[in-house]
Amino acid sequence: MFYEPGKTPHNLPHDPFKACVAPRPIGWISTVDKQGCANLAPYSFFNAVCGNPPMVMFASGGSIDSLNNARETGEFIAAVAPRAMLREINFCSAPLPPEQDEFDYAGLEKEPGQTVAAHRIKGVPIHMECKVFQIVDLPGPTPQSKNAMVIGTVVGLHIDDAIIRDGMVDVTLFEPLARLGYHEYVSVAETFTVRREDFW
């Protein structure tokens, strides 16, 4: 099949685009507004974009509280979502008003950030404290509904010692979650190693 997004129909019951870019890691983005009200939301448009310096991004569409808070404060925390907390992650995707705290709504306990005002999530093994480097405004489905990409420099990295094995982070010990195309999720429970020279 072939179709031109936004121009020609795909003739499928659901938009296939997200299923073509999968799996997409879930970043659990924690922010606060200028008044100190906490916000916590999962983003499947999330990834690392640079290694040196370490930088990550999340892209905001329908949910704008994280974006607004990042614009206001210049800070956010990106947590890596473990499979064991899928219920809480799902609760944090609820369309709550900006003044309602998703930590409370999902029954999560806050832990302080070290270099930013946003909160860490108790029980999550990896948190990246970030300073906003750049916000890139993107087109949206309508002029009133725009998207944006928030790029942050990682200024503090928390890693639970329990997920370090032989000096390396072992993701199979907490099974990070990722989104697939529709209402499907996947978690990383098994890995394999390939080196460049293995095929030389």
Side-chain angles (χ1 to χ4, degrees):
M1 65 172 289
F2 172 78
Y3 74 101
E4 297 177 81
K7 292 184 179 180
T8 59
H10 50 68
N11 296 320
L12 296 173
H14 303 285
D15 186 348
F17 168 70
K18 293 179 183 179
C20 296
V21 184
R24 301 186 313 280
I26 297 174
W28 214 352
I29 307 300
S30 171
T31 58
V32 295
D33 63 19
K34 285 186 176 179
Q35 290 71 44
C37 181
N39 182 266
L40 184 61
Y43 286 85
S44 66
F45 288 103
F46 163 79
N47 220 315
V49 294
C50 190
N52 186 18
M55 304 179 83
V56 297
M57 61 73 64
F58 71 94
S60 178
S63 175
I64 61 171
D65 294 339
S66 302
L67 170 62
N68 289 342
N69 292 347
R71 281 192 197 276
E72 285 186 357
T73 66
E75 300 177 345
F76 65 93
I77 293 179
V80 178
R83 179 173 182 166
M85 300 179 79
L86 176 58
R87 177 183 179 275
E88 291 83 357
I89 292 162
N90 195 43
F91 266 73
C92 289
S93 65
L96 305 180
E99 66 276 7
Q100 189 167 354
D101 188 330
E102 283 85 1
F103 282 88
D104 293 340
Y105 183 74
L108 294 164
E109 187 175 337
K110 298 182 180 83
E111 294 186 327
Q114 299 297 308
T115 64
V116 299
H119 308 285
R120 293 182 294 128
I121 311 157
K122 186 173 183 179
V124 173
I126 295 176
H127 294 88
M128 291 169 275
E129 300 187 7
C130 300
K131 297 286 188 178
V132 172
F133 172 76
Q134 185 177 2
I135 297 177
V136 181
D137 290 314
L138 304 170
T142 68
Q144 295 75 31
S145 178
K146 295 183 179 180
N147 299 314
M149 176 174 60
V150 181
I151 303 170
T153 303
V154 179
V155 296
L157 183 56
H158 301 261
I159 304 173
D160 189 336
D161 292 338
I163 66 166
I164 297 176
R165 178 183 290 168
D166 299 327
M168 296 185 290
V169 173
D170 186 342
V171 297
T172 66
L173 297 176
F174 69 99
E175 300 186 19
L177 281 170
R179 279 298 297 270
L180 299 176
Y182 307 100
H183 296 291
E184 304 159 306
Y185 289 76
V186 67
S187 61
V188 181
E190 182 180 355
T191 66
F192 59 91
T193 300
V194 177
R195 297 174 175 83
R196 291 180 184 178
E197 57 269 26
D198 290 345
F199 294 104
W200 292 352

